[in-house]
Amino acid sequence: MTIPNSTDFILDNGVCDFPSTPQEERRIVSDLTTESEDNLKEGNLYFVISKRWYTSWEKYVEQSMNECSTGEPSEAPRPGPIENHDIIKSTSDTSDPQLRKLLVEGEDYVLVPQDVWKRLLEWYNGGPPIPRKLICQGFYSRSFSVEVYPLCLMLIDGRDESRTAIRLGKQASIKELYEKVCAMTGVPQEKALIWDYFDKKKNLLLDSSSDKSLEESSLQMDQDILLELDESSSSKYAMSSAGNELALVPLEPSRSCITIAGGPALSNGHSTTSKFSLFPRITSEDDGWDSLSILGKGERGGLAGLSNLGNTCFMNSALQCLAHTPPIVEYFLQDYSDDINRDNPLGMSGELAIAFGELLKKLWSSGMNAVAPRSFKTKLARFAPQFSGYNQHDSQELLAFLLDGLHEDLNKVKRKPYIELKDFENRPDDEVAEELWNYHKARNDSVIVNVCQGQYKSTLVCPVCGKISITFDPFMYLSLPLPSTLTRPMTVTVFYCDGSRLPMPYTVTVPKHGSCRDLITALRTACCLTDDESLLLAEVYDHKIFRYFETPLESLNVIKDDEHIVAYRFNQIQKGSGKAKLEILHGGQERAVLDSVRGRDVKLFGTPFVTYVNTEPLSGTDIDSVISGFLSPLHRVHASSKNHNGSENGHLPEAAADETSGSLSSPDTEIDEASDRELSFRIFLTDESVLNFKPLQSESSVNPGTVTRVLVEWNEGEHEKYDSSYLSDLPEVHKTSFSAKKTRQEAISLFSCLEAFLAEEPLGPDDMWFCPGCKEHRQANKKLDLWKLPDILVFHLKRFTYSRFLKNKIDTFVNFPIHDLDLSKYVKNENGQLYLYELYAVSNHYGGLGGGHYTAYAKLIDDNKWYHFDDSHVSSVTESEIKNSAAYVLFYRRVRSETETQSGEMSMTDMD
């Protein structure tokens, strides 16, 4: 591949020359981008560009493609200089611009390789440049990503309390931090002491010789670090970070001691020894503590909040739910070190389990004091880079990773046995299920599997040969669709082309991922179409027809909720073969078309009419008759017969104009000669852009093309005669409510969600099953059944839906039981057990996609009280407050009957 050099575009006078065509610009950028992607390496530079500017450039360079597809010239102008000021802070120094917070790639900005940036800068100038480095992340699976937001630390100079922002990549070392701080402050490196000063506390003295990264040291975005001077400093003067000359006065170590919830005293960030310890000696670097004590007298465990470290509410919500799961708390508050599997290739060397366990101990030993989960977040970012950074993520996705990761770190099976499975053909389901469960347990044995995993039965049936395949698979949680996610309400306004009725909106329910055929079928039923009638679907935008939906199998996903869809109702005679479409637009509401067209500012309003006409030439009278038929239902009862233009019944006193043909000419030469003396309306032939107009008379001849467009001028007389309000205020396909809470009448039950999950349905076209009978891939029917339920049952309500064209959150209220959730009838394993559950925790999500806020409700079971965990803030709540439309992940624990409990105790006695 040959990439032109930048010098190819420099003229002799030093002025930058542009590529000859937009296509050439697009090709050069595409080639440079491909070359960069083929040579990814850590440290490569990328540049941030405003999405707004980049979109204007894309439109410009893609116009040649648009011309090829539409056959019409594109008018996208060449963009001006690169403009990045809309994505940087207004207070930023242009030599070191800082991005505004919470920008989203693809929506607010794009990233381009360095060579692409250089070329765009040569062509367009502008800026300012915003360079960012490519970094490599991950533990087992390494992946590249651009560090759009480098780590920003606030340096507090202990000599004068001045504050300075220090910006470094999160993979920079502590040694590099010392070098940068000392260079900025003028303090000799051997005399500098830099403290991790998170939450205004000396948590840990950073080692100036350490190659440990800032991320591994648990330093967080925008947190404080403190600069002090070593006691042995001999230099008398130095410059402060604010630029002031200061005497170097040695600072005495802090003598203050801090105790956290009755724990060990802390001095200078190091813990003193303590003989009291409820927990195993598995140390953590979090906050510089290496041991934790039991709660002080009168303090209650489990009521500590979690500090938000920058959009980490999703993590805090999931962690609080797990931190109040009784068997998990009980397990991690005792010595679990023997269970850690450091050699599991699927695990994280036990580091995730240790970090989680240490965090749990802090939450249960710190009273009401908030805990900063910095060390845990550092481990999470290392093993799951998708959760690194400071963007909002999904609490359920984190929960899924965490449960799986904890299991692998705590899997007691160090060497997984190979077990040859027997033939399952013609064997009882309970026998096969138990055999598969035992096989699973022989390879997977951890507290997570023991309390959180269940088993379901999956049945596939071939629609061709009837072959049945049954498998039994383990599950960690159940992701339930909301019944409303399987279907979609759509509002469509039906226009009657015979003029027999007023336009009427109909709201119908169609399959979520259905086709236009499904929508038309639903509308046929709703508006009682006869066998000889049909519908033409179209989208109306800016009072014009934007597109038609004439392909029955076209997906409804292309229709968004905020669009306006109409259906034109025809009989088969009207829509027969040899017909062409006639679109009738409405304009001139504010200014007469005759006065407006010269300035190209005709004001359109209302909804166009569409009908089918013969392909033979049409006269102005023919078109006038069609318009009259459409408008007849809108006729006011007491309409004035005098029009605004002074004519009686639509006739002008005089007119002089030539007959017209189907071609359009300049309006300036003919408008003044126009006359509609013999027509009911002023009618103009126009084009797709509605920029050119040709007045029509009764004898005018129009040769219909595939689509012919005319404009009807509405003056005061027309508005007096016809009620145009029926043409306006077209309803949206679906008006989304912004209310967080739904009424109980709109609610659906948790049981209906579960039944939707268990219902038989065909596999998707991208998920075909290879039938062993047909030896072909088939779109089999799939049916799920619950077989074995765990002690801790987690329900994930699928509130977020994604498709190529739509992203949506469903705020429907789901009515879920808090007590006595009886799932016995859904369990197909006929072992006679009662599966009764009670709710103990909820992960909530408030707001919309790409943001919002997560909180958690959790119950202290011993106290029988509910609490709301909103990051660091914890408050008590009543049980009635738990149910709302923000509920996202539900946590239930199994409640055993007295008989089952006594049976379990007897079994334990027999074992003893």
Side-chain angles (χ1 to χ4, degrees):
M1 175 177 63
T2 303
I3 306 291
N5 293 321
S6 60
T7 54
D8 295 345
F9 301 101
I10 304 296
L11 300 179
D12 293 337
N13 59 4
V15 178
C16 179
D17 188 21
F18 299 120
S20 57
T21 63
Q23 302 95 293
E24 183 67 9
E25 279 193 34
R26 185 178 68 249
R27 184 193 66 78
I28 293 170
V29 168
S30 176
D31 290 347
L32 289 171
T33 302
T34 301
E35 185 177 78
S36 175
E37 290 174 351
D38 291 341
N39 295 279
L40 292 178
K41 62 180 179 181
E42 202 164 7
N44 284 359
L45 279 183
Y46 278 72
F47 283 75
V48 184
I49 299 181
S50 165
K51 173 69 172 176
R52 182 184 301 172
W53 184 89
Y54 195 77
T55 298
S56 66
W57 176 81
E58 285 182 315
K59 289 180 179 178
Y60 169 68
V61 298
E62 290 173 1
Q63 59 185 330
S64 59
M65 297 174 62
N66 296 335
E67 289 175 16
C68 293
S69 61
T70 63
E72 297 185 5
S74 174
E75 298 183 1
R78 182 179 184 83
I82 299 171
E83 177 54 75
N84 281 337
H85 287 89
D86 62 316
I87 58 173
I88 63 175
K89 295 178 180 178
S90 57
T91 56
S92 285
D93 182 351
T94 54
S95 63
D96 184 24
Q98 300 305 314
L99 290 172
R100 292 191 291 110
K101 291 186 176 181
L102 305 180
L103 298 180
V104 178
E105 183 179 0
E107 294 181 15
D108 303 303
Y109 68 87
V110 295
L111 294 166
V112 299
Q114 183 176 16
D115 288 341
V116 171
W117 167 257
K118 286 180 179 178
R119 193 53 56 91
L120 291 174
L121 194 62
E122 289 169 358
W123 297 336
Y124 294 95
N125 295 317
I130 310 172
R132 293 295 185 261
K133 285 186 179 180
L134 190 71
I135 62 175
C136 192
Q137 293 179 288
F139 183 66
Y140 290 115
S141 177
R142 306 286 283 171
S143 61
F144 288 106
S145 64
V146 177
E147 189 176 17
V148 176
Y149 287 95
L151 191 61
C152 179
L153 302 172
M154 296 306 300
L155 173 68
I156 300 176
D157 194 321
R159 298 166 294 169
D160 64 351
E161 300 299 320
S162 60
R163 296 171 63 86
T164 308
I166 304 288
R167 292 183 175 85
L168 282 170
K170 61 186 176 183
Q171 294 187 346
S173 66
I174 296 296
K175 183 190 299 183
E176 291 175 277
L177 175 63
Y178 266 88
E179 291 171 356
K180 184 158 187 173
V181 168
C182 291
M184 290 179 62
T185 60
V187 173
Q189 191 164 335
E190 66 273 9
K191 296 177 176 59
L193 299 174
I194 301 179
W195 290 90
D196 175 352
Y197 202 52
F198 182 85
D199 205 20
K200 298 295 188 292
K201 297 173 185 175
K202 290 183 180 180
N203 298 295
L204 183 68
L205 179 61
L206 303 176
D207 182 358
S208 61
S209 63
S210 174
D211 290 324
K212 198 174 184 180
S213 73
L214 303 182
E215 183 178 45
E216 290 172 329
S217 302
S218 299
L219 297 179
Q220 304 296 317
M221 179 70 79
D222 297 328
Q223 80 154 75
D224 293 334
I225 54 175
L226 176 66
L227 171 65
E228 290 186 340
L229 301 177
D230 195 334
E231 290 182 24
S232 61
S233 171
S234 59
S235 178
K236 187 177 180 182
Y237 296 98
M239 298 298 291
S240 75
S241 56
N244 303 316
E245 188 177 83
L246 299 172
L248 297 185
V249 180
L251 297 179
E252 291 293 326
S254 172
R255 301 296 182 187
S256 63
C257 293
I258 305 171
T259 57
I260 303 297
L266 303 182
S267 178
N268 288 336
H270 299 282
S271 65
T272 61
T273 57
S274 171
K275 294 181 180 179
F276 291 99
S277 181
L278 182 65
F279 312 115
R281 185 73 178 187
I282 301 174
T283 62
S284 166
E285 297 170 359
D286 209 8
D287 298 324
W289 301 342
D290 59 11
S291 67
L292 288 164
S293 75
I294 58 175
L295 287 167
K297 184 177 180 181
E299 293 185 306
R300 190 74 181 90
L303 293 180
L306 286 165
S307 301
N308 193 314
L309 304 177
N311 263 342
T312 56
C313 58
F314 77 97
M315 180 180 77
N316 294 345
S317 174
L319 287 173
Q320 289 290 8
C321 291
L322 287 181
H324 290 83
T325 299
I328 290 180
V329 175
E330 182 180 349
Y331 176 85
F332 280 99
L333 293 190
Q334 62 186 357
D335 188 350
Y336 59 93
S337 55
D338 289 342
D339 292 344
I340 293 178
N341 189 337
R342 301 182 187 276
D343 302 319
N344 186 353
L346 300 178
M348 281 140 275
S349 301
E351 293 184 42
L352 184 67
I354 292 172
F356 177 77
E358 288 298 305
L359 179 59
L360 231 62
K361 293 163 195 172
K362 286 193 172 79
L363 288 173
W364 281 89
S365 65
S366 65
M368 292 289 289
N369 294 294
V371 174
R374 295 193 298 154
S375 182
F376 177 81
K377 184 177 185 297
T378 298
K379 297 295 183 185
L380 183 67
R382 182 186 179 202
F383 297 116
Q386 65 269 31
F387 298 117
S388 65
Y390 300 93
N391 289 330
Q392 184 68 279
H393 296 283
D394 190 316
S395 69
Q396 186 273 331
E397 290 179 2
L398 172 67
L399 178 70
F401 167 80
L402 193 52
L403 288 175
D404 187 62
L406 290 175
H407 157 63
E408 298 295 354
D409 269 5
L410 299 170
N411 193 351
K412 298 176 185 178
V413 181
K414 302 299 193 280
R415 297 187 64 181
K416 296 188 177 184
Y418 171 75
I419 303 174
E420 188 172 350
L421 297 177
K422 300 177 184 178
D423 185 13
F424 300 147
E425 199 74 32
N426 301 319
R427 292 173 59 195
D429 281 352
D430 54 353
E431 184 179 311
V432 174
E434 189 65 23
E435 188 174 304
L436 287 172
W437 181 254
N438 291 335
Y439 170 75
H440 175 68
K441 286 296 296 288
R443 297 169 58 86
N444 301 276
D445 184 12
S446 71
V447 63
I448 303 300
V449 170
N450 293 340
V451 302
C452 296
Q453 282 199 348
Q455 186 184 39
Y456 61 71
K457 173 186 176 182
S458 175
T459 304
L460 290 171
V461 180
C462 177
V464 178
C465 71
K467 174 70 176 178
I468 298 176
S469 172
I470 297 176
T471 59
F472 293 86
D473 301 303
F475 67 84
M476 194 86 76
Y477 52 87
L478 298 176
S479 289
L480 307 185
L482 276 63
S484 59
T485 67
L486 304 178
T487 59
R488 175 186 180 192
M490 297 185 73
T491 299
V492 178
T493 304
V494 176
F495 282 78
Y496 294 79
C497 296
D498 60 359
S500 60
R501 301 182 193 177
L502 289 169
M504 180 68 67
Y506 291 90
T507 299
V508 295
T509 300
V510 295
K512 172 74 83 171
H513 302 295
S515 64
C516 290
R517 176 188 291 165
D518 297 316
L519 177 57
I520 289 176
T521 299
L523 287 171
R524 288 186 69 92
T525 302
C527 59
C528 303
L529 252 67
T530 60
D531 292 339
D532 63 346
E533 289 182 305
S534 61
L535 296 173
L536 172 65
L537 293 175
E539 178 188 347
V540 174
Y541 177 75
D542 199 23
H543 310 294
K544 295 179 284 187
I545 299 296
F546 182 72
R547 57 179 165 174
Y548 292 100
F549 301 96
E550 297 183 275
T551 304
L553 296 181
E554 184 171 3
S555 173
L556 293 177
N557 289 335
V558 302
I559 302 177
K560 298 181 180 179
D561 285 349
D562 59 353
E563 293 175 347
H564 301 86
I565 304 298
V566 297
Y568 297 99
R569 181 171 178 170
F570 305 96
N571 59 46
Q572 297 298 343
I573 298 176
Q574 289 175 296
K575 195 182 174 181
S577 60
K579 300 281 187 175
K581 293 188 186 74
L582 174 65
E583 293 180 7
I584 302 167
L585 288 73
H586 310 281
Q589 192 173 15
E590 294 182 356
R591 296 178 59 189
V593 174
L594 292 176
D595 299 330
S596 301
V597 292
R598 288 191 179 92
R600 301 285 198 265
D601 59 352
V602 171
K603 179 74 173 179
L604 298 180
F605 76 95
T607 306
F609 296 143
V610 177
T611 189
Y612 285 94
V613 294
N614 294 322
T615 53
E616 293 86 15
L618 293 171
S619 67
T621 303
D622 295 331
I623 296 174
D624 187 77
S625 176
V626 171
I627 296 170
S628 296
F630 263 116
L631 290 176
S632 59
L634 279 60
H635 204 290
R636 297 182 190 272
V637 177
H638 304 291
S640 171
S641 62
K642 190 165 184 73
N643 286 341
H644 177 65
N645 56 18
S647 66
E648 294 292 330
N649 295 324
H651 297 282
L652 292 176
E654 57 182 83
D658 297 330
E659 289 190 357
T660 65
S661 66
S663 61
L664 296 180
S665 59
S666 170
D668 293 336
T669 60
E670 299 189 53
I671 287 177
D672 291 336
E673 304 171 7
S675 171
D676 56 355
R677 177 170 52 185
E678 299 179 15
L679 299 178
S680 303
F681 307 94
R682 291 191 180 212
I683 309 171
F684 298 83
L685 186 66
T686 186
D687 55 10
E688 183 178 8
S689 61
V690 197
L691 292 176
N692 299 291
F693 299 88
K694 185 181 186 67
L696 296 180
Q697 305 169 47
S698 59
E699 300 302 321
S700 298
S701 179
V702 177
N703 294 314
T706 305
V707 179
T708 301
R709 298 173 182 85
V710 297
L711 175 76
V712 179
E713 180 184 38
W714 285 66
N715 292 318
E716 185 177 329
E718 280 74 25
H719 285 291
E720 288 180 359
K721 187 174 182 180
Y722 300 102
D723 188 351
S724 62
S725 65
Y726 289 101
L727 303 179
S728 304
D729 302 322
L730 206 61
E732 295 179 356
V733 168
H734 179 62
K735 189 72 172 177
T736 304
S737 171
F738 294 97
S739 170
K741 265 195 174 183
K742 302 293 183 181
T743 64
R744 292 299 185 266
Q745 287 75 20
E746 296 176 89
I748 57 177
S749 72
L750 181 65
F751 294 108
S752 62
C753 296
L754 180 59
E755 287 162 4
F757 172 75
L758 299 174
E760 181 176 340
E761 62 178 359
L763 296 175
D766 298 328
D767 190 26
M768 305 282 271
W769 171 61
F770 184 80
C771 174
C774 300
K775 307 297 183 184
E776 296 279 351
H777 283 92
R778 301 294 189 193
Q779 194 170 0
N781 293 317
K782 184 176 182 178
K783 173 75 172 72
L784 295 178
D785 291 296
L786 300 179
W787 194 264
K788 182 192 295 289
L789 295 184
D791 289 340
I792 298 299
L793 182 58
V794 179
F795 290 111
H796 162 225
L797 303 178
K798 297 172 71 173
R799 293 194 177 277
F800 301 106
T801 60
Y802 304 92
S803 69
R804 181 180 176 187
F805 300 97
L806 289 172
K807 293 181 180 180
N808 191 31
K809 184 197 171 187
I810 302 158
D811 283 321
T812 303
F813 174 77
V814 176
N815 190 5
F816 50 89
I818 294 179
H819 303 284
D820 301 327
L821 172 64
D822 190 354
L823 299 176
S824 304
K825 71 175 184 178
Y826 296 101
V827 180
K828 299 306 179 183
N829 181 2
E830 299 178 0
N831 55 13
Q833 291 189 36
L834 181 66
Y835 290 94
L836 198 64
Y837 290 85
E838 75 168 12
L839 187 75
Y840 70 88
V842 182
S843 176
N844 303 303
H845 180 269
Y846 300 89
L849 286 168
H853 182 59
Y854 287 92
T855 68
Y857 291 122
K859 182 180 182 181
L860 289 187
I861 295 173
D862 291 344
D863 291 352
N864 196 31
K865 290 182 180 178
W866 282 90
Y867 293 88
H868 184 221
F869 294 84
D870 186 355
D871 288 331
S872 58
H873 181 70
V874 181
S875 58
S876 61
V877 291
T878 62
E879 195 173 86
S880 60
E881 296 177 70
I882 306 303
K883 290 186 177 185
N884 62 66
S885 60
Y888 181 45
V889 185
L890 307 174
F891 293 76
Y892 283 90
R893 69 184 187 98
R894 189 174 177 186
V895 181
R896 299 185 182 273
S897 64
E898 292 184 10
T899 304
E900 288 177 308
T901 304
Q902 292 171 1
S903 175
E905 291 174 352
M906 290 176 62
S907 298
M908 292 297 292
T909 303
D910 293 341
M911 289 175 64
D912 295 340

